[in-house]
Amino acid sequence: MASGNFLDDVVREILLMLPVKSLLKCKSVCKSWYTLITKPSFISAHFNCNAALKRSHCILVKRVLPEHVPPTESVLSFLSNEISSDDHVPQTEITISHFNHFLQMVGPCNGIVCLTDHRDIFLCNPSIRDFKVLPAPSFNYPQGLFSTTLGVGFGFDPYSSEYKVIRIAELYEDDESGGYGFHSVNVEIYDLSTNSWRKIDTVVPYVWYFPCSEFLFNGHFHWWADDKDHGGESMLSFHISTEVFQQIRLPDVCAFPDGKERAFLVLNESIALLLFNPSEQTCFDIWLMTEYGVAESWTKQFTIGPLVQVEQPLLFWKHELLLEKANGRLSSYDLKSQRLKEFQVYGAQESLRAIAYKLCNSSSSQCYPGVQFDQ
């Protein structure tokens, strides 16, 4: 006669093989199945099983439609694998009305993205249009000190099967006369399994925000920051599992403020630093960190441009660089043909963000969600 443990193992293996649409229905079968399916370890295992299946790569674009007054309603749009047509339009749209124009999108991690306006934070599962608004940190600070968000990160710890949100916060003094004084920088971590925040005792440099400055790569989350050891600027990395910070110096050519914008993207499985000055004729200097974490490995690869009326870079996608033009339209620059083209995807100026995303090979919109959030 089969033992209970054996039967449990068989059930788990069967559930791991199910498509997401069926798996979500199985949560309602019984309490034990619900408990199993919502465990972070099962979620990670199911994601890995599905990764072996044929999947469809797409682009997830965040934008604010300029005809909305005021322009505070963000829209998430899925763009198909091939974006070769000049009349390309989004496949699916998800409207988010709670957050403001400057909504930042980081990720994805196992199908989940983190969205924040550096005030409120929530996790989003675009595949099944599911959201989880995170509780606000509620730490007790000395009287007269206030907290504001400098940077936000998000990732998954495979060792603890834990999703983590990292908040780098500035503590400042605000006296009755309206005076402002910097006090310190704190690091706070939200654990999805406990739905709570905790502080870690560490010293980090001041973090600055700009589009494409916060990203997950190689098990680390990254921000643009001051270089407290050498002066100037650096890339601050945080290891999701060990919760250890590291500062990585930028190329010597960086000398903020130098009038140039920065962007961190991923190109050929390496971190790319783009330096540019938005103008009528914009050029992008592309630097690659050829050995992760080694500042001396920064190497200038090539220059793109000049390109006419380009606002900001968004994403390297196959052999193209996706861009936002000054008119708010999504565009792409083909690295091979060196041609620039526009798409019928647009947003309010400087509102576009783009990340590479994966969906199951299914005609249904209920593709692999990574995890489902229960409010």
Side-chain angles (χ1 to χ4, degrees):
M1 182 177 179
S3 68
N5 288 339
F6 175 76
L7 290 177
D8 290 343
D9 290 341
V10 171
V11 169
R12 183 178 186 275
E13 292 304 312
I14 292 174
L15 292 176
L16 284 173
M17 300 303 294
L18 292 179
V20 172
K21 192 171 183 179
S22 299
L23 191 64
L24 296 179
K25 292 179 180 178
C26 289
K27 290 172 61 178
S28 303
V29 171
C30 62
K31 186 175 181 180
S32 62
W33 284 23
Y34 176 90
T35 302
L36 171 62
I37 293 170
T38 55
K39 281 184 178 179
S41 57
F42 180 88
I43 293 164
S44 178
H46 189 263
F47 180 83
N48 292 331
C49 286
N50 278 263
L53 302 176
K54 184 179 180 180
R55 304 172 65 83
S56 174
H57 293 248
C58 65
I59 302 168
L60 183 63
V61 175
K62 190 281 300 183
R63 57 206 173 107
V64 173
L65 300 183
E67 59 265 25
H68 292 175
V69 181
T72 57
E73 194 166 71
S74 293
V75 174
L76 299 183
S77 305
F78 288 112
L79 306 186
S80 64
N81 182 28
E82 298 298 332
I83 54 170
S84 57
S85 172
D86 287 319
D87 61 355
H88 186 93
V89 295
Q91 298 174 326
T92 307
E93 292 189 348
I94 305 169
T95 301
I96 306 169
S97 58
H98 177 63
F99 292 81
N100 67 27
H101 182 129
F102 299 101
L103 186 69
Q104 174 70 349
M105 178 172 63
V106 294
C109 179
N110 292 356
I112 308 170
V113 296
C114 180
L115 299 167
T116 178
D117 57 3
H118 283 208
R119 180 190 59 194
D120 299 314
I121 305 172
F122 70 101
L123 301 181
C124 171
N125 184 328
S127 294
I128 60 173
R129 304 188 180 193
D130 207 354
F131 300 86
K132 178 178 179 64
V133 180
L134 303 193
S138 57
F139 300 109
N140 293 322
Y141 297 113
Q143 187 174 1
L145 289 183
F146 301 88
S147 172
T148 186
T149 301
L150 297 177
V152 172
F154 171 62
F156 178 73
D157 179 0
Y159 298 100
S160 65
S161 297
E162 179 68 84
Y163 287 90
K164 300 176 182 178
V165 175
I166 307 95
R167 176 178 181 256
I168 300 180
E170 176 190 1
L171 292 187
Y172 62 95
E173 297 174 307
D174 189 4
D175 59 34
E176 295 180 356
S177 63
Y180 169 87
F182 170 78
H183 183 271
S184 61
V185 176
N186 279 11
V187 178
E188 304 161 354
I189 297 178
Y190 168 86
D191 298 313
L192 180 60
S193 63
T194 62
N195 193 35
S196 62
W197 291 88
R198 55 186 169 87
K199 287 194 291 187
I200 62 174
D201 186 16
T202 186
V203 177
V204 296
Y206 199 88
V207 168
W208 301 89
Y209 169 77
F210 59 84
C212 297
S213 64
E214 303 174 335
F215 67 102
L216 180 67
F217 178 80
N218 197 34
H220 297 71
F221 204 88
H222 305 80
W223 302 265
W224 180 44
D226 288 340
D227 186 342
K228 60 183 178 63
D229 297 323
H230 304 90
E233 55 191 308
S234 70
M235 182 169 62
L236 179 66
S237 76
F238 174 82
H239 194 280
I240 300 295
S241 296
T242 64
E243 300 186 356
V244 172
F245 283 92
Q246 176 189 4
Q247 281 194 96
I248 304 171
R249 287 186 292 111
L250 298 183
D252 292 338
V253 68
C254 294
F256 184 81
D258 53 13
K260 291 186 177 181
E261 303 287 342
R262 283 94 163 102
F264 291 123
L265 302 178
V266 176
L267 174 63
N268 297 332
E269 299 184 357
S270 296
I271 294 177
L273 168 66
L274 282 68
L275 301 175
F276 62 102
N277 184 7
S279 63
E280 289 293 320
Q281 300 286 326
T282 303
C283 292
F284 296 91
D285 291 333
I286 315 296
W287 292 72
L288 286 187
M289 187 167 61
T290 56
E291 184 176 352
Y292 180 78
V294 179
E296 292 73 20
S297 72
W298 284 111
T299 306
K300 185 177 179 180
Q301 300 293 310
F302 52 90
T303 297
I304 293 175
L307 304 179
V308 177
Q309 293 187 331
V310 170
E311 185 68 34
Q312 61 180 341
L314 300 172
L315 172 72
F316 279 111
W317 176 255
K318 298 183 178 180
H319 55 84
E320 296 180 271
L321 173 61
L322 296 188
L323 304 154
E324 178 186 342
K325 294 203 69 177
N327 60 6
R329 285 197 178 274
L330 178 69
S331 306
S332 73
Y333 175 82
D334 192 304
L335 301 178
K336 295 180 180 179
S337 67
Q338 300 183 1
R339 294 181 59 187
L340 184 68
K341 58 188 177 185
E342 285 190 13
F343 303 104
Q344 298 302 316
V345 179
Y346 62 93
Q349 190 174 21
E350 299 184 20
S351 74
L352 267 64
R353 303 289 183 269
I355 58 176
Y357 198 80
K358 292 181 180 179
L359 293 172
C360 291
N361 185 28
S362 168
S363 60
S364 169
S365 63
Q366 299 287 337
C367 292
Y368 184 74
V371 63
Q372 177 156 1
F373 307 117
D374 297 292
Q375 301 296 335

